[in-house]
């Protein structure tokens, strides 16, 4: 094969010289129109003439022709031409978007798990024809259409896709565009699996730490686990669902899941606190004290019971207590944080730095915990981390989605100094990593750390189409089908007079 390539290259070099001379002669010809002359000059400079690759070595020729990224892109001439999507079954429903351009390169983004892909599609008409490399300008144009939690999903998906595109256009990783990196690998925290017995759970935790290599774990312990213990809770029976449980994620007005924490008037008795503390002690004894152990999902009850619970588990030195009350109760967070020695954390449902500032300014929590597909995307999340760092507050990152949002988080974490650890919510999903292919051949994760692409442009991944198609949401099996219904702007969007 090498000999054949040498012969082809030598033959085509001769053709290349002839083509170059012909093009030069045409440029000089007075009868050549200006548009044609401009095109000939541009193709000669960009290397996209017929012989554009033929001056390369054999190895470079192979690399160039097999690359999935256009290296002849002209970033200043890039234009957004389309937005399409697919909906995966990851975490119930998680959509991936693709933004296409006039130069054949595209960017991948992700709408947060459980959010409607239409949050992103309604932005299509507002970004068509724009240069995707003007990320901040486009973000400022569309951010008014985002809201807290999953309502931010569309804006964040677009922002992620723009950075992927911009990195590909300039041939650099996304972290480089954010100002460079602080680290080459990203520490991941993982949920501790629950077993049917203490012995089974110990095996699962040992597997998580010793086999999978995770160095930071997270556990859930909440009042739903003790509501069947007589005398553990006050006023819980009133809130039980049809299955006899306290479910945080069920619909309906006035249900337990849709009633804010201070308004349930559920209280935890001393017996209940002892039972919850025992759950934590069991896991901590299996994990040991060398591994940080975070916690979440306690249930809906007021700040007084939050403080009592926090004190009951203080001796187990948890890494943080997460989302004890809604994030926007800033003064309550300040009261809880001041009362406890265990670090507190919130932020996975907060949109934009402006909404984080009230918490950070008064150190209402010890750790900010943004979810990049709700907080505003890569650059806005880095800004959140930088602002928190200036105030002595650390940043962990919430992540529950496909490898697209995972890699967006990885790039942001690499570029943010006060970063602690990144959540990985699909560790035990066997096909999750296979949804994408890395463009530089690296593994996504090695022994509890995400591998940062050091040279691969953009996010450093491409979709593995066949695998994604196998795991589409049952209610929407389309795969990047045309979305022409979303092409036209039908409103006047300015928010001031």
């Amino acid at each position: 094969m090498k000999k054949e390539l040498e012969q082809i290259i030598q033959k085509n070099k001769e053709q290349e010289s002839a083509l170059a001379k012909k093009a030069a002669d045409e440029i000089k010809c007075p009868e050549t129109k200006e548009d044609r002359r401009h095109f000939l000059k541009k193709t000669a400079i960009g290397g996209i003439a017929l012989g554009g690759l033929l001056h390369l070595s054999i190895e470079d020729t192979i690399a160039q022709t097999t690359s999935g990224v256009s290296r002849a892109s002209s970033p200043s001439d890039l234009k957004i031409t389309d937005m399409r999507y697919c909906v995966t079954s990851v975490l119930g429903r998680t959509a991936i978007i693709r933004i296409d351009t006039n130069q054949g390169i595209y960017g991948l983004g992700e709408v947060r798990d459980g959010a409607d892909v239409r949050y992103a599609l309604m932005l299509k008409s507002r970004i068509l024809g724009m240069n995707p490399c003007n990320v901040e300008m486009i973000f400022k144009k569309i951010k008014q259409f985002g809201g807290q939690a999953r309502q931010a999903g569309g804006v964040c998906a677009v922002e992620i896709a723009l950075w992927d595109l911009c990195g590909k256009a300039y041939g650099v990783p996304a972290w480089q565009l954010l100002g460079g990196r602080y680290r080459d690998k990203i520490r991941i925290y993982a949920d501790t699996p629950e077993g049917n017995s203490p012995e089974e759970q110990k095996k699962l935790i040992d597997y998580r730490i010793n086999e999978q290599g995770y160095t930071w774990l997270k556990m859930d312990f909440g009042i739903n686990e003790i509501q069947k213990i007589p005398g553990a809770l006050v006023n819980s029976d009133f809130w039980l669902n049809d299955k006899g449980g306290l479910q945080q994620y069920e619909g309906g007005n006035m249900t337990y899941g849709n009633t804010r924490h201070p308004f349930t008037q559920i209280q935890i008795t001393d017996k209940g606190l002892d039972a919850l503390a025992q759950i934590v002690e069991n896991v901590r004894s299996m994990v040991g004290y060398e591994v940080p152990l975070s916690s979440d999902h306690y249930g809906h009850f007021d700040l007084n019971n939050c403080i009592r619970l926090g004190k009951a588990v203080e001796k187990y030195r948890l890494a943080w207590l997460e989302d004890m009350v809604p994030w926007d109760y800033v003064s309550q967070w300040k009261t809880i944080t001041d009362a406890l020695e265990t670090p507190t954390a919130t932020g996975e449902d907060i949109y934009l730095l402006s909404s984080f500032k009230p918490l950070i300014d008064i150190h209402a929590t010890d750790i900010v915990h943004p979810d990049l597909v709700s907080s505003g995307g890569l650059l806005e999340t880095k800004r959140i981390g930088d602002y928190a760092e200036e105030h002595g507050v650390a940043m962990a990152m919430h992540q529950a989605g496909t490898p697209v949002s995972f890699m967006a988080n990885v790039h942001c974490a690499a570029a943010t100094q006060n970063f602690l650890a990144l959540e990985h919510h699909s560790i035990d999903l066997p096909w999750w990593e296979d949804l994408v292919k890395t463009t530089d051949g690296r593994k996504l994760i090695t022994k509890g750390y995400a591998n940062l692409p050091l040279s691969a442009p953009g996010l450093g991944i491409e979709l593995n189409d066949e695998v994604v198609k196998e795991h589409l949401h049952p209610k929407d099996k389309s795969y990047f089908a045309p979305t022409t219904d979303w092409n036209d702007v039908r409103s006047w969007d300015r928010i001031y007079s």
Side-chain angles (χ1 to χ4, degrees), residues 202-214 428:
K202 181 66 166 65
K203 289 180 180 178
L204 292 171
I205 290 174
D206 286 345
Y207 175 71
R208 188 73 95 219
I209 295 173
N210 299 322
E211 297 296 324
Q212 294 180 309
Y214 288 93
D428 299 315

Side-chain angles (χ1 to χ4, degrees), residues 117-423:
V117 70
R118 288 174 289 189
Y119 286 145
L121 289 172
M122 62 92 59
L123 302 174
K124 178 183 177 181
S125 61
R126 289 151 175 94
I127 65 175
L128 284 175
M130 299 188 74
N131 187 324
C133 296
N134 294 323
V135 182
E136 187 169 30
M137 182 177 72
I138 295 175
F139 179 72
K140 286 183 177 179
K141 180 178 182 178
I142 65 174
K143 72 176 183 179
Q144 63 177 296
F145 300 106
Q148 306 299 341
R150 284 160 177 82
Q151 294 176 38
V155 173
C156 298
V158 169
E159 201 265 6
I160 292 169
L162 295 180
W163 284 120
D164 190 27
L165 258 170
C166 191
K168 290 175 179 177
Y170 284 98
V172 296
W175 57 259
Q176 188 69 72
L177 298 169
L178 298 178
R181 70 183 192 270
Y182 288 96
R183 52 191 64 83
D184 292 347
K185 58 182 183 178
I186 307 304
R187 193 177 189 181
I188 300 172
Y189 73 84
D191 283 337
T192 57
E194 295 182 4
N196 295 321
S197 67
E199 294 77 18
E200 182 182 350
Q201 187 170 26
K202 181 66 166 65
K203 289 180 180 178
L204 292 171
I205 290 174
D206 286 345
Y207 175 71
R208 188 73 95 219
I209 295 173
N210 299 322
E211 297 296 324
Q212 294 180 309
Y214 288 93
T215 64
W216 191 312
L217 300 181
K218 181 177 172 180
M219 68 173 296
D220 296 340
F221 67 95
I223 58 176
N224 193 46
E225 297 181 70
I226 63 169
Q227 60 91 15
K228 292 184 180 180
I229 299 176
L233 299 173
V234 176
N235 197 41
S236 64
D237 287 354
F238 175 80
W239 295 104
L240 297 180
N241 60 20
D242 294 339
K243 297 178 181 179
L246 298 171
Q247 176 55 256
Q248 284 184 254
Y249 301 104
E250 61 180 15
N253 293 330
M254 304 305 296
T255 61
Y256 168 76
N258 281 330
T259 300
R260 285 190 164 222
H261 300 54
F263 311 133
T264 65
Q265 201 41 216
I266 292 175
Q267 296 194 60
I268 311 172
T269 67
D270 288 346
K271 183 178 182 180
L273 290 175
D274 290 341
L276 289 170
Q278 187 62 52
I279 293 172
V280 178
E281 181 173 330
N282 291 342
V283 175
R284 176 53 93 185
S285 66
M286 298 176 191
V287 171
Y289 279 87
E290 182 58 32
V291 175
L293 181 61
S294 302
S295 64
D296 192 9
H297 294 302
Y298 319 103
H300 292 191
F301 44 83
D302 65 10
L303 76 88
N304 302 295
N305 284 274
C306 289
I307 292 171
R308 292 176 63 240
L309 176 59
K311 289 184 178 296
V313 299
E314 214 150 51
K315 65 181 179 179
Y316 304 112
R317 308 315 307 162
L318 295 174
W320 67 65
L321 297 163
E322 178 180 333
D323 293 334
M324 299 198 85
V325 294
W327 65 267
D328 51 342
Y329 290 163
V330 177
S331 61
Q332 291 195 21
W333 270 112
K334 178 65 172 171
T335 299
I336 293 169
T337 299
D338 288 347
L340 300 177
E341 294 180 8
T342 303
T344 55
T346 194
E348 69 181 71
D349 295 317
I350 302 180
Y351 180 51
L352 303 180
L353 171 59
S354 58
S355 296
F356 275 92
K357 282 184 175 180
L359 288 159
I360 296 170
D361 286 344
I362 63 171
H363 204 123
T365 61
D366 299 293
I367 299 166
V368 291
H369 192 228
D371 188 310
L372 187 143
V373 286
S374 280
S375 57
L378 282 83
L379 182 56
E380 187 74 0
T381 305
K382 175 173 164 52
R383 286 174 172 157
I384 292 164
D386 290 345
Y387 189 83
E389 180 188 356
E390 292 176 5
H391 291 73
V393 175
M395 182 175 81
M397 300 177 74
H398 181 273
Q399 190 280 142
T402 80
V404 175
S405 65
F406 179 81
M407 283 309 305
N409 277 275
V410 167
H411 284 272
C412 183
T416 310
Q417 187 170 15
N418 63 334
F419 165 79
L420 295 175
L422 168 66
E423 183 171 19

